[in-house]
Amino acid sequence: MTFSNNTKICKIDDNSLKLSKNLIENEELVAFPTETVYGLGGLATSDKAVKRIYEAKGRPSDNPLIVHVHSNYDINKLVYIDYDYVYELQKAFLPGPLTMVYRSKGMVSNLVSCGLNTLAVRVPSHKGAQEFLKYLNLPIAAPSANVSKHTSPVTAEHVYTDLNGKIDLILDGGKCSGGIESTVLDVTTETPIILRSGLITYDMIKNVVGKCAYGDSKPTDKVKSPGVKYRHYCPKCETALFKRSDFLSAQNLYNEYIKNGKKPYFMCDDEILKQLKGDNVLRLGGSGEEIASNLYFRLLQGEKIADLIIAFEVCTGTDLDVGIMNRLVKACGNNYYK
Ligand code: TXA
Ligand code: MG
């Protein structure tokens, strides 16, 4: 599929992989699918390519990038592994949505980690991502393929909406199944520290390592993972987030918008959905996995059709809620509606 502007969307095949290799080797950018969200890839060893990534996204230059490699890539070329528990984590979860932050060997551009002496490395499990990374056999720096602050893309069309005209090629691997970004885990300390919650949860890590901690990520703190301090994931329409117990206030807000001739949409899980009667709804689903997988998709659908998304706190009772709520709260401006 090709659109009128100069950004191409291509299915992943020999031709598009060849084209990707040309672009990447020429220090240009290629967006590609992963099992979490789409990534905006550039050659990690090239200052020029990494600069282009920051420019295309409008990303603050103190928010480091993750390097992506295929599953047979020897990451010892890039980083030091300081603790044996890392091998256990690799065995349990890779390839998959776990990014580990290691001590860097300084083999990639300094701009990737914004001068930090660490490097975040991820081995995505998505078949198309693996094909792309294996074909290149190079370390690829890639943030989520959205304009900075906007909701992360989970389809090739989402990437196109944000980056059309700014990059040459989007590899189309369908809708991302995971739906929220990878867990970022600091493995440079004796106890691994979660810097960003995601699909590999605290309990899953603790079950393997025997210990795990959450990093401090209050917005005002000097954080170890700079990306967590920024405004993030916001759709382009208004949003209002409610506690589950504030159902009536949410409904009042909904009715007020309707009365004023506006289009509000509820965004909620199946428990809340049962209490709604024929209203406009963006359905997230029942289980934590389903909700994570639909979250950005629904936010991006909502921004096209709604004046206001009225979101409800998600509570499935599993620790996947931590990652989901981390994104949802930020998408709704960091606050519950008052
Ligand atoms: O699922 C994902 O991780 C997606 C796909 C494309 O792989 N990528 C992604 O990248 O979410 P990005 O750039 O949107 O988020 C990277 C996160 C940020 O929170 C950043 O601060 C953190 O990883 N990070 C990267 N390098 C780091 C480092 N050396 N130390 C601490 N945090 C780091
Ligand atoms: Mg991002």
Side-chain angles (χ1 to χ4, degrees):
M1 180 171 23
T2 310
F3 288 80
S4 54
N5 218 313
N6 47 1
T7 300
K8 279 204 261 316
I9 301 184
C10 296
K11 294 273 177 239
I12 301 171
D13 58 20
D14 282 349
N15 284 335
S16 62
L17 288 173
K18 219 176 269 169
L19 178 57
S20 303
K21 194 170 160 67
N22 262 332
L23 290 166
I24 293 288
E25 286 176 350
N26 281 313
E27 301 169 286
E28 307 277 351
L29 308 182
V30 174
F32 64 99
T34 82
E35 71 279 19
T36 58
V37 301
Y38 274 72
L40 175 58
L43 186 58
T45 50
S46 156
D47 285 349
K48 188 167 154 197
V50 176
K51 255 189 217 148
R52 284 203 161 137
I53 294 176
Y54 283 94
E55 276 164 21
K57 276 183 69 86
R59 181 178 176 110
S61 59
D62 64 344
N63 186 5
L65 307 176
I66 296 171
V67 166
H68 295 64
V69 295
H70 63 74
S71 47
N72 299 328
Y73 192 92
D74 179 11
I75 71 160
N76 294 300
K77 287 199 253 181
L78 303 176
V79 295
Y80 299 100
I81 294 174
D82 290 325
Y83 295 95
D84 284 345
Y85 68 73
V86 170
Y87 301 108
E88 301 297 317
L89 288 171
Q90 288 175 341
K91 213 166 26 180
F93 302 121
L94 298 192
L98 175 67
T99 297
M100 291 195 260
V101 175
Y102 306 84
R103 262 191 320 125
S104 177
K105 288 191 172 169
M107 302 307 284
V108 300
S109 162
N110 265 326
L111 303 174
V112 170
S113 292
C114 310
L116 298 171
N117 60 4
T118 51
L119 184 68
V121 183
R122 161 153 151 71
V123 187
S125 63
H126 189 285
K127 189 170 159 278
Q130 281 292 325
E131 279 170 4
F132 169 70
L133 293 165
K134 281 191 175 136
Y135 197 89
L136 299 169
N137 196 25
L138 292 166
I140 298 298
S144 49
N146 52 289
V147 165
S148 197
K149 300 186 182 70
H150 191 211
T151 313
S152 306
V154 292
T155 67
E157 287 72 21
H158 293 157
V159 179
Y160 185 84
T161 304
D162 270 24
L163 299 178
N164 178 29
K166 294 185 178 169
I167 60 174
D168 290 294
L169 177 63
I170 301 168
L171 293 176
D172 186 351
K175 179 174 179 258
C176 304
S177 57
I180 62 172
E181 294 86 347
S182 63
T183 304
V184 178
L185 187 71
D186 183 354
V187 296
T188 65
T189 52
E190 215 178 302
T191 299
I193 302 172
I194 295 178
L195 302 177
R196 179 178 72 184
S197 299
L199 296 166
I200 304 298
T201 67
Y202 176 94
D203 287 349
M204 291 162 79
I205 294 165
K206 195 162 176 206
N207 276 341
V208 171
V209 182
K211 55 195 172 180
C212 182
Y214 280 112
D216 213 351
S217 60
K218 283 189 241 95
T220 48
D221 287 345
K222 201 167 188 312
V223 285
K224 207 169 173 191
S225 188
V228 297
K229 79 183 179 191
Y230 293 108
R231 191 177 151 81
H232 241 122
Y233 314 121
C234 302
K236 287 173 186 154
C237 60
E238 284 185 87
T239 51
L241 176 62
F242 285 87
K243 297 262 185 207
R244 302 174 80 80
S245 54
D246 269 351
F247 186 77
L248 285 179
S249 326
Q251 217 158 30
N252 287 339
L253 184 64
Y254 184 93
N255 293 336
E256 194 186 305
Y257 265 65
I258 292 283
K259 210 170 73 197
N260 292 328
K262 295 246 175 92
K263 266 203 188 147
Y265 272 76
F266 287 116
M267 193 178 78
C268 63
D269 59 42
D270 289 348
E271 277 303 306
I272 297 277
L273 188 62
K274 283 185 206 150
Q275 303 177 54
L276 303 173
K277 302 174 201 75
D279 305 308
N280 298 333
V281 175
L282 297 160
R283 175 179 172 257
L284 289 174
S287 68
E289 282 80 13
E290 196 184 1
I291 292 168
S293 147
N294 286 326
L295 183 65
Y296 293 153
F297 190 83
R298 291 299 185 217
L299 286 167
L300 289 167
Q301 188 185 7
E303 74 175 17
K304 284 198 190 151
I305 56 178
D307 293 306
L308 169 71
I309 296 175
I310 300 177
F312 281 97
E313 173 191 25
V314 164
C315 177
T316 65
T318 68
D319 70 340
L320 195 46
D321 292 350
V322 181
I324 295 169
M325 284 311 293
N326 167 283
R327 308 308 195 282
L328 184 56
V329 169
K330 286 184 186 150
C332 295
N334 283 320
N335 263 314
Y336 284 92
Y337 185 82
K338 282 195 196 77

